[in-house]
Amino acid sequence: MGSRTHPGRPRKVSVEDTLEGALQLFWERGYEGTSIADLSRALGVSASSLYATFESKDRLYLRCMRHYGETRSEFVQEALAEENGIHALQALLIGAALAYGESGAGCAILAAQPGAAVDTELSEMRRKARERITRRIRRAQREGDVTRDLRASDLSAYVQTVMGGLSGASRDGASAAQLHRVAELANATIESWRA
Amino acid sequence: MGSRTHPGRPRKVSVEDTLEGALQLFWERGYEGTSIADLSRALGVSASSLYATFESKDRLYLRCMRHYGETRSEFVQEALAEENGIHALQALLIGAALAYGESGAGCAILAAQPGAAVDTELSEMRRKARERITRRIRRAQREGDVTRDLRASDLSAYVQTVMGGLSGASRDGASAAQLHRVAELANATIESWRA
DNA sequence: ACCTTTATGTAGCGATCATTCCAAAATAGC
DNA sequence: GCTATTTTGGAATGATCGCTACATAAAGGT
């Protein structure tokens, strides 16, 4: 299945560009608030082309959310790579405040509403993100950065709760500066988690 | 206009019951995820009756959100009535964790997605809630419960951000116990705001 | 009994929804 | 230039959307 003898007509818009454009609409208006006609109009591609490339609206939405995860979560990787565990978590919240403040639409995945079978996969994505934070905290506890008196899963839940709150505040119109100040208040809590 | 001479046919379902039932659907599935046909089926009332009583889907939704505010925010009043300012804010988060944990659908107003002209009013409701918290914090600062080194509006924003995060976590399936533990972590921050 | 008033259900409105069919267009290999 | 392959746009699918017209049912006032 790798012969590739006959090429066919070239696509008007690349898959990458389509995902990026569709993401913007889904991100701002949500899954149910974005119709195929909206996407077709905004992208300059007919509905049938979208269906030929991405099987259904569900699948396209899912691809967009994965695309979001791949292109908008660098700040998570960078923050968790901080040597000191406390600094890592604090950098995570500051990074979230900055990222959500820039976009003005919060986190596409955390802000997604329940809807059909898509929600299962999104919930799984959120669970994995939380798990990544939990593992980083466990490592910090092993390394003596974070106290062992508190459960890593609880601390992780707190961090993701604040991130979700920042996401919501961003969508509600909070300024980047405002989000930053909230993140700093939350970081005072994290400061108290030192071993 | 208070004569009331001719009564007319009695309604099958009271306005109160209709609002309560419609709220349940809107709360769980959101505005766009709930159709008039869904409401008609769930309430046992025809669509035309709904339109005769509530002018439009927008207005019905708005009435439901107000109904939510009137019947589900007792914990806010009770918490903010606490004598000590620090305790008031802490009770607010604990109360939110309890309330959102019970419903399993978070806060209907904080979790509402942007959509048409309805969003303006919901945003206003959130703003008023935040203002109420801000005023309580200012009072606490006057009474010497909370430090004057931090801006009341920032502290209020933090509290509402955590509430929004708890709401989202609840919708994502977090248990009441889990929400409670997160609230207690957030309350450690609030503890540090003592004057 | 009749009248006024209000709420009811049925049927239907045009618009939009996600999705599909299909023929034409555009490419590379032969 | 032909063929195979793939994407394209336009038209149409049935279903559902929010909403309305209309005739009838159920009450109290007289």
Side-chain angles (χ1 to χ4, degrees), chain B residues 146-193:
Chain B
V146 169
T147 177
R148 291 176 194 266
D149 296 346
L150 299 168
R151 286 220 305 249
S153 62
D154 290 346
L155 304 186
S156 169
Y158 171 81
V159 169
Q160 204 185 30
T161 296
V162 172
M163 288 180 71
L166 289 172
S167 171
S170 163
R171 301 192 127 249
D172 203 28
S175 69
Q178 183 67 258
L179 296 178
H180 187 87
R181 289 196 292 271
V182 170
E184 290 210 320
L185 285 173
N187 279 351
T189 308
I190 295 178
E191 190 68 42
S192 74
W193 297 346

Side-chain angles (χ1 to χ4, degrees), chain A residues 134-153:
Chain A
T134 305
R135 277 199 301 270
R136 181 63 187 86
I137 294 175
R138 289 222 183 86
R139 185 188 123 196
Q141 287 177 321
R142 259 183 276 120
E143 294 175 348
D145 291 339
V146 168
T147 176
R148 290 177 194 266
D149 296 346
L150 299 167
R151 287 220 305 248
S153 61

Side-chain angles (χ1 to χ4, degrees), chain A residues 32 113-114, chain B residues 18-40 42-43 50-51 54 56-68 105-109 111-113 118 122 171:
Chain A
E32 320 216 52
Q113 292 279 94
Chain B
T18 305
L19 287 177
E20 182 60 32
L23 169 61
Q24 290 294 336
L25 288 193
F26 280 133
W27 196 355
E28 288 167 15
R29 313 189 209 172
Y31 175 80
E32 320 215 53
T34 308
S35 70
I36 298 293
D38 289 336
L39 294 168
S40 173
L43 302 172
L50 289 175
Y51 278 92
F54 315 93
S56 66
K57 188 187 177 186
D58 283 7
R59 307 279 279 196
L60 171 58
Y61 182 69
L62 208 55
R63 290 282 299 272
C64 285
M65 291 302 109
R66 288 191 189 137
H67 177 72
Y68 174 87
C107 169
I109 295 170
Q113 292 279 94
V118 192
L122 290 181
R171 301 192 127 249

